[in-house]
């Protein structure tokens, strides 16, 4: 049993870190797309959404081209002494990239659902634009942020294709639950071990669904 | 003093407002689509005029020639919207504190305790907006706007979603706010009858232009004869003096300059001046003097003019004072109404609406 703990722990670490990165960035991008008009908006929308429709392996390969040791950004990072590819942080980048569109989409829909007239009312009560964002828009869109967070966390936990390309499948370093299941299934007698990880996966997924239901009920009660 | 000279074009609608009003109770009146709400949005800074100027006292809020466009946050205008726009995730207390908390201490004029009392919100402070009635919501919106220390209140059809009693109650609070707190008010409505008794000035807007401006009484004729009121319910407004009470029969006798009326008992001192309103659709016409009627008020007069709107007919009758009666074209034919014809007006005691003394 002890062999499965580090894998589970690493998976949670990667998924949680990716989610923590996504909450502010996804919320900001979702709000920008819902409320702001700017040239090239369609291009930005496309760039954010493309991992949703691309095979994750392709997304991973594109990330490797950018961030790998010989990649455009990877070379710059190397000069600073930072090596990203094939580390657990690379697994975070891969997971965050494929989960980002889910987060942005959920936040965007929720922000679009917030009546802009309430924001106008706040403007006439002297609220600054930042103040309106934090005191009106964000609290009224919180269910969308929550839904996006849970969805992103679950997606990050299950991430496989982009991770195996950008972070590789290194035991104890980048081997998350899905990668470990893949490895065990390729071993002659690995099926039993894989099954244990499958059960752990189901438990984690179920827990996040319960957490989501609990939190959304709690926020809904706050408005009545 | 509010000084406006602004233009705005949206699609094929052109708004041009050029008007100057004293810091008092001003009503901006006009049919729907005449540009009233657009005007408020341009004054408040929620929308930007194409050109022109907006001055509040000596403060320039907007000037296209001087490239001034003060943000709505800094205009110090209180805006009460038709649908309240309370923040649904905040309690009544938090809603009314919202603007107050953002108002620098030296600019604050009132404490929340004072305003809560004036607006009658003591029992509602811990409620959420979803649990309030329409009238309560508007009172919360009023308190919230006042606490942000505005120099002028803008109200956009604040009575639209309220029933009759809630309207009277809201107007009572609004009047207290205007008089006790010395707050100038710009009140937008398509139905003037509710505020005419305490509006100091009325601006009539039609199709984006000012077509009348002055004290309300001087504009009554215009409001009634112009087709721009086609969408509003016409009213007969006139001042009366309380003559006597008849508690045994439950009646009050009042007199206008030329006529006497019997009303259901009202609480007003003998000699007190009241403003009464009879909706134009509640007066009955007869060509000969009726008898054996339950209605207690019968006036003798003569047809002065017949105004035909596309789907309604208004007959102006001179019975000492002028009265407007709404009828249908068929009635004009049946009674062979024409200018100069003698006519009797029949008004039920219950058709009178009391406007002043709110």
């Amino acid at each position: 049993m002890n062999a499965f703990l580090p894998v589970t722990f690493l998976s949670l670490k990667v998924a949680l870190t990716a989610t923590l990165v996504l909450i502010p960035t996804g919320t900001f991008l979702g709000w920008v797309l819902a409320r702001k008009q700017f040239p090239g908006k369609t291009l930005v929308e496309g760039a954010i959404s493309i991992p949703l429709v691309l095979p994750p392996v392709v997304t991973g390969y594109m990330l490797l081209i950018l961030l790998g040791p010989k990649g455009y950004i990877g070379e710059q990072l190397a000069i600073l002494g930072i090596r990203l590819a094939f580390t657990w942080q690379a697994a975070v980048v891969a997971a965050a990239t494929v989960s980002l569109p889910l987060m942005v989409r959920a936040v965007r829909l929720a922000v679009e659902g917030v009546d802009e007239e309430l924001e106008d009312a706040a403007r006439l009560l002297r609220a600054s634009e930042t103040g309106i964002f934090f005191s009106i828009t964000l609290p009224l869109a919180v269910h969308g942020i929550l839904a996006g967070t849970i969805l992103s966390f679950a997606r990050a936990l299950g991430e496989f294709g982009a991770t195996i390309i950008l972070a590789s499948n290194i035991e104890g370093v980048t081997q998350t639950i899905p990668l470990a299941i893949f490895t065990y299934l390729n071993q002659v007698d690995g099926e039993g071990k894989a099954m244990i990880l499958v059960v752990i996966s189901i438990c984690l997924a179920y827990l996040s669904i319960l957490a989501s239901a609990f939190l959304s009920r709690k926020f809904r009660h706050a408005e009545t | 003093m509010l000084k406006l000279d602004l233009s705005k074009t949206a699609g094929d609608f052109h708004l041009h407002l050029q008007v100057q009003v004293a810091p008092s109770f001003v009503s901006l009146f006009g049919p729907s689509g005449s540009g009233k709400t657009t005007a408020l949005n341009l004054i408040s800074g929620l929308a930007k005029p194409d050109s022109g100027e907006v001055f509040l006292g000596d403060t320039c809020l907007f000037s296209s020639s001087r490239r001034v466009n003060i943000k709505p946050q800094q205009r110090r205008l209180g805006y009460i919207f038709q649908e309240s726009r309370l923040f649904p995730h905040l309690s009544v207390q938090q809603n009314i504190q919202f603007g107050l908390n953002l108002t620098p201490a030296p600019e604050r004029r009132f404490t929340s305790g004072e305003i809560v009392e004036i607006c009658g919100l003591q029992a509602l402070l811990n409620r959420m907006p979803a649990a309030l009635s329409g009238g309560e919501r508007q009172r919360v919106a009023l308190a919230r706007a006042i606490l942000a220390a505005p120099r002028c209140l803008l109200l956009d059809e604040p009575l639209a979603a309220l029933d009759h009693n809630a309207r009277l109650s809201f107007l009572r609070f609004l009047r207290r706010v205007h008089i006790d707190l010395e707050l100038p008010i710009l009140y937008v409505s398509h139905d003037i009858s509710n505020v005419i008794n305490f509006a100091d000035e009325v601006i009539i807007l039609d199709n984006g232009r000012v077509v009348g401006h002055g004290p309300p009484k001087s504009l009554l004729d215009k409001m009634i004869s112009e087709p721009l009121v086609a969408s509003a319910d016409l009213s007969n407004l006139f001042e009366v003096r309380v003559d006597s009470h008849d508690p045994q029969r439950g009646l009050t006798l009042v007199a206008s300059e030329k006529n006497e009326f019997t009303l259901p008992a009202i609480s007003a001192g003998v000699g007190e001046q009241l403003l009464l309103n009879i909706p134009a659709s509640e007066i009955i016409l007869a060509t000969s003097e009726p008898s054996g009627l339950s209605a207690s008020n019968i006036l003798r007069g003569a047809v002065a003019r017949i105004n035909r709107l596309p789907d309604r007919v208004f007959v102006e009758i001179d019975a000492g004072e002028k009265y407007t009666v709404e009828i249908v074209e068929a009635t004009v034919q049946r009674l062979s109404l024409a200018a100069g014809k003698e006519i009797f007006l029949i008004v039920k005691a219950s058709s009178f609406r009391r406007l002043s003394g709110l």
Side-chain angles (χ1 to χ4, degrees), chain A residues 138-222:
Chain A
L138 208 57
L140 289 175
V142 75
H143 60 281
I145 295 166
L146 204 68
T149 304
I150 300 289
L151 211 59
S152 302
F153 176 73
R155 177 70 187 84
L157 210 53
E159 178 22 56
F160 180 86
T163 311
I164 203 164
I165 302 286
L166 186 67
S168 186
N169 186 3
I170 307 163
E171 202 183 326
V173 182
T174 67
Q175 194 180 69
T176 57
I177 294 175
L179 297 177
I181 292 174
F182 172 74
T183 308
Y184 287 137
L185 288 178
N186 281 322
Q187 290 170 2
V188 186
D189 54 354
E191 224 166 302
K193 293 175 180 171
M195 191 50 75
I196 291 171
L197 286 174
V198 165
V199 171
I200 292 173
S201 283
I202 292 171
C203 291
L204 289 176
Y206 202 72
L207 277 177
S208 57
I209 289 169
L210 286 181
S212 153
F214 171 75
L215 288 172
S216 72
R217 202 174 311 133
K218 202 176 156 185
F219 281 110
R220 206 171 308 129
H221 277 305

Side-chain angles (χ1 to χ4, degrees), chain B residues 106-126:
Chain B
E107 286 180 21
R108 291 183 190 180
R109 288 184 56 198
F110 318 107
T111 64
S112 67
E114 250 177 297
I115 301 304
V116 162
E117 210 228 296
I118 288 183
C119 296
L121 302 175
Q122 297 91 332
L124 307 176
L125 291 176
N126 295 322

Side-chain angles (χ1 to χ4, degrees), chain B residues 12-323:
Chain B
D12 50 9
F13 179 76
H14 305 283
L15 176 73
H16 182 74
L17 261 183
Q18 194 172 13
V19 74
Q20 195 169 334
V21 293
S24 53
F25 196 119
V26 180
S27 180
L28 181 60
F29 166 69
S32 48
S34 58
K36 305 183 299 286
T37 301
T38 310
L40 283 194
N41 287 339
L42 295 174
I43 296 167
S44 65
L46 292 179
K48 196 180 161 201
D50 297 335
S51 64
E53 285 179 336
V54 179
F55 274 87
L56 180 65
D58 296 330
T59 319
C60 177
L61 299 182
F62 177 83
S63 167
S64 53
S65 57
R66 288 198 254 161
R67 296 180 173 275
V68 175
N69 185 15
I70 309 275
K71 287 182 187 167
Q73 284 91 336
Q74 284 146 20
R75 292 197 179 198
R76 298 193 59 185
L77 294 169
Y79 200 145
I80 288 116
F81 304 90
Q82 192 172 328
E83 351 66 67
S84 308
R85 301 198 193 171
L86 300 183
F87 304 127
H89 59 301
L90 302 179
S91 69
V92 168
Q93 173 85 55
Q94 291 167 320
N95 261 285
I96 64 172
Q97 291 280 341
F98 189 91
L100 181 68
N101 293 343
L102 296 166
T103 305
E107 286 180 21
R108 291 183 190 180
R109 288 184 56 198
F110 318 107
T111 64
S112 67
E114 250 177 297
I115 301 304
V116 162
E117 210 228 296
I118 288 183
C119 296
L121 302 175
Q122 297 91 332
L124 307 176
L125 291 176
N126 295 322
R127 298 241 202 113
M128 295 306 281
L132 299 179
S133 73
E136 290 167 340
R137 267 180 227 183
Q138 286 302 53
R139 270 149 51 198
V140 175
L142 184 64
R144 182 176 75 169
I146 295 166
L147 281 171
R151 299 173 60 196
C152 177
L153 281 181
L154 312 174
L155 293 101
D156 186 11
E157 306 257 10
L159 306 178
L162 309 186
D163 63 32
H164 184 69
N165 286 336
R167 284 177 183 206
L168 290 183
S169 144
F170 181 77
L171 283 171
R172 187 166 64 230
F173 290 114
L174 188 60
R175 190 176 156 85
R176 277 194 73 182
V177 163
H178 174 57
I179 293 170
D180 295 359
L181 309 182
E182 296 172 349
L183 261 176
I185 282 174
L186 180 59
Y187 186 106
V188 158
S189 178
H190 71 274
D191 178 7
I192 195 110
S193 61
N194 285 306
V195 285
I196 193 150
N197 61 319
F198 48 84
D200 302 306
E201 279 182 63
V202 175
I203 302 166
I204 305 178
L205 202 61
D206 188 30
N207 199 21
R209 306 214 161 246
V210 176
V211 295
H213 179 201
K217 293 261 173 63
S218 73
L219 292 170
L220 273 181
D221 260 4
K222 194 174 186 75
M223 291 181 220
I224 287 164
S225 56
E226 294 265 327
L228 68 91
V229 289
S231 59
D233 276 328
L234 276 186
S235 305
N236 292 287
L237 294 136
F238 51 98
E239 246 174 325
V240 295
R241 197 188 62 250
V242 178
D243 263 357
S244 64
H245 293 290
D246 184 347
Q248 272 176 343
R249 291 193 292 156
L251 298 172
T252 298
L253 300 174
V254 301
S256 67
E257 225 169 291
K258 294 280 162 53
N259 291 294
E260 292 186 338
F261 299 96
T262 309
L263 271 57
I266 51 174
S267 56
V270 170
E272 195 177 321
Q273 298 277 339
L274 300 174
L275 196 65
L276 290 185
N277 166 22
I278 314 170
S281 53
E282 295 205 11
I283 299 177
I284 297 166
L285 294 182
T287 48
S288 57
E289 179 154 15
S291 62
L293 277 185
S294 63
S296 47
N297 297 291
I298 298 169
L299 309 181
R300 182 196 294 263
V303 174
R305 192 153 62 136
I306 299 174
N307 295 316
R308 289 187 166 82
L309 303 187
D311 51 353
R312 307 163 81 175
V313 181
F314 293 102
V315 184
E316 263 180 64
I317 288 156
D318 191 347
E321 297 111 347
K322 270 194 183 159
Y323 293 88

Side-chain angles (χ1 to χ4, degrees), chain A residues 104-121:
Chain A
V104 171
R105 209 159 266 248
V107 174
R108 181 183 180 168
L109 278 176
V111 171
E112 281 171 349
V114 176
D115 195 345
E116 279 187 82
E117 295 186 332
L118 291 176
E119 297 173 2
D120 276 345

Side-chain angles (χ1 to χ4, degrees), chain A residues 26-197:
Chain A
T27 302
F28 177 73
L29 288 170
W31 173 78
V32 167
L33 292 180
R35 284 287 189 259
K36 301 289 167 190
Q37 299 303 326
F38 53 90
K41 185 174 169 179
T42 320
L43 285 178
V44 174
E45 277 174 29
I48 293 170
S49 294
I50 205 159
L52 204 61
V53 286
L54 226 48
V57 172
V58 177
T59 305
Y61 184 58
M62 282 166 60
L63 286 173
L64 190 65
I65 292 172
L66 282 174
L67 302 171
K70 289 177 188 159
Y72 304 103
I73 300 173
E75 274 187 339
Q76 309 300 318
L77 290 176
I79 293 169
L80 298 170
I82 300 168
R83 188 181 67 101
L84 187 66
F86 318 123
T87 63
W88 74 270
Q89 289 92 337
V92 171
V93 171
T97 308
V98 295
S99 305
L100 182 68
L102 298 171
M103 183 75 189
V104 171
R105 209 159 266 248
V107 174
R108 181 183 180 168
L109 278 176
V111 171
E112 281 171 349
V114 176
D115 195 345
E116 279 187 82
E117 295 186 332
L118 291 176
E119 297 173 2
D120 276 345
R123 264 177 206 111
L124 282 154
L125 293 165
R126 302 173 178 244
S128 66
E129 297 304 318
T130 322
I132 291 169
F133 177 77
F134 283 107
S135 61
I136 307 294
T137 320
L138 208 57
L140 289 175
V142 75
H143 60 281
I145 295 166
L146 204 68
T149 304
I150 300 289
L151 211 59
S152 302
F153 176 73
R155 177 70 187 84
L157 210 53
E159 178 22 56
F160 180 86
T163 311
I164 203 164
I165 302 286
L166 186 67
S168 186
N169 186 3
I170 307 163
E171 202 183 326
V173 182
T174 67
Q175 194 180 69
T176 57
I177 294 175
L179 297 177
I181 292 174
F182 172 74
T183 308
Y184 287 137
L185 288 178
N186 281 322
Q187 290 170 2
V188 186
D189 54 354
E191 224 166 302
K193 293 175 180 171
M195 191 50 75
I196 291 171
L197 286 174

